[in-house]
Amino acid sequence: MHTLVFLSTRQVLQCQPAACQALPLLPRELFPLLFKVAFMDKKTVVLRELVHTWPFPLLSFQQLLQECAHCSRALLQERPSTESMQAVILGLTARLHTPEAEAGTRSFCRKHALRVLDMTGLLDDGVEQDPGTMSMWDCTAAVARTCIAQQQGGTAEPGPGPAPVELLDAGCLRRVDLRFNNLGLRGLSVIIPHVARFQRLASLRLHYVHGDSRQPSVDGEDNFRYFLAQMGRFTCLRELSMGSSLLSGRLDQLLSTLQSPLESLELAFCALLPEDLRFLARSPHAVHLKKLDLSGNDLSGSQLEPFQGLLQAAAATLLHLELTECQLADAQLLAVLPVLTRCARLRYLGLYGNPLSMAGLKELLRDSVAQAELRTVVHPFPVDCYEGLPWPPPASVLLEASINEEKFARVEAELHQLLLASGRAHVVWTTDIYGRLAADYFSL
């Protein structure tokens, strides 16, 4: 449903040249809705001018593109269009290149210079990239090129190589995302000292950092020790993502170097051992965690007990828990449920790719009634819906094998009825792992 204000705004933007001419006459309170409508409808001329003349110190995608009173569509849950993203970047370029004297004549931005462009929170799953959409890496690279060109006086066109991080303001950057790279530990050890100069960096995302204590090597140990020393330089870090890193038996070394407790920790596919989980449960980080991702770590055996201890430690703060492909069958889920349901503030629970039956899912649904803030559960296709499934089923089988669509339709209907009967029709139970991606740390 759309409000009359939204519909009127959409009508105003139908003729883009006229809308741009009218912007100085419109109250600045309309700019947030103008931005959302222009972004949604790909009104690129207006979008560029809105950024160019933005009258507030902050332009935040998370604030502007979320569900609002005028429009229930949450653009943050959709891949951003290339046209709209390019328009925003062109508007930023125009703003950076506007002389001070000219900017002073614009009533929009004379008193409220744009200080922060926050593009975090956009959907970017890294797979099935649509040619009509723009990945966050492309956005970041484009903004970096824009800022570098401005630093160079607009006279030099940045080359295709990596952005020189020394040109960036050390007090402004909040996130560095190097997840999809082939640098290896040696390459990261070269880059991290430069990243550590950003005193206000709150989020660092790295992948493929291999420090497996079971397979040490001289060069690998030297690089890992140097990497740990550099990690100790971050003073404001609150989110750390180390997905697909071999950290078996080394988690204590990594987390002990950090100067402040983390609020978001992603350790997907890190081959964690029981001692890693025990250390995390006892560490200062556990009681501050809002988001925890342990996907791809086997929690079905000796890791189950320390995992329960970790949940107990984080129960008061945890908002988002991702446990995709953790080999949790009904027996393990039932063992975890008493402590899981103590996570009273939990909003999101991801269980996709675990060998759970319909009986296990119903038990989870019934017990989660105590979690009043729970909004989304991403669950696996129940094992009841597969034909001839080996036991225990490997995660690859659960992800690739065909299911009986008729059986699954009955499962969905029964889960829906149980939600209705318990007064929780607003809670989304889904198997759509890509449509319900992990919440961005900055939006928690």
Side-chain angles (χ1 to χ4, degrees), residues 289-339:
L289 287 176
K290 296 180 180 179
K291 177 180 176 181
L292 177 63
D293 186 350
L294 295 176
S295 297
N297 293 285
D298 187 348
L299 301 178
S300 64
S302 57
Q303 287 92 335
L304 186 63
E305 179 269 329
F307 170 60
Q308 291 172 285
L310 175 56
L311 279 185
Q312 181 66 48
T317 57
L318 200 59
L319 306 176
H320 187 109
L321 179 61
E322 187 66 73
L323 300 173
T324 296
E325 296 182 43
C326 288
Q327 295 296 310
L328 294 172
D330 288 359
Q332 289 78 34
L333 179 64
L334 292 176
V336 168
L337 271 179
V339 65

Side-chain angles (χ1 to χ4, degrees), residues 107-144:
S107 59
F108 294 36
C109 51
R110 181 170 62 248
K111 294 182 181 180
H112 300 282
L114 178 63
R115 304 297 301 166
V116 178
L117 172 61
D118 185 350
M119 299 167 66
T120 60
L122 289 170
L123 178 65
D124 186 14
D125 53 25
V127 299
E128 299 180 1
Q129 189 65 39
D130 188 320
T133 63
M134 203 170 189
S135 70
M136 278 308 298
W137 175 256
D138 294 332
C139 297
T140 302
V143 172

Side-chain angles (χ1 to χ4, degrees), residues 85 94-95 109 157 199 207 212 221 263 281 317 349 387:
M85 294 303 299
R95 182 135 192 164
C109 51
E157 183 68 21
Q199 302 96 344
H207 278 190
D212 190 348
E221 284 298 295
E263 295 180 344
T317 57
L349 176 62
E387 303 291 347

Side-chain angles (χ1 to χ4, degrees), residues 77-97:
Q77 294 298 319
E78 304 173 20
R79 295 185 181 91
S81 76
T82 299
E83 297 170 71
S84 295
M85 294 303 299
Q86 288 177 338
V88 170
I89 293 167
L90 288 172
L92 174 64
T93 303
R95 182 135 192 164
L96 291 173
H97 287 270

Side-chain angles (χ1 to χ4, degrees), residues 16 23 44 199 234 252 302 408:
Q16 295 193 72
L23 286 181
T44 55
Q199 302 96 344
F234 294 103
D252 59 336
S302 57
F408 182 63

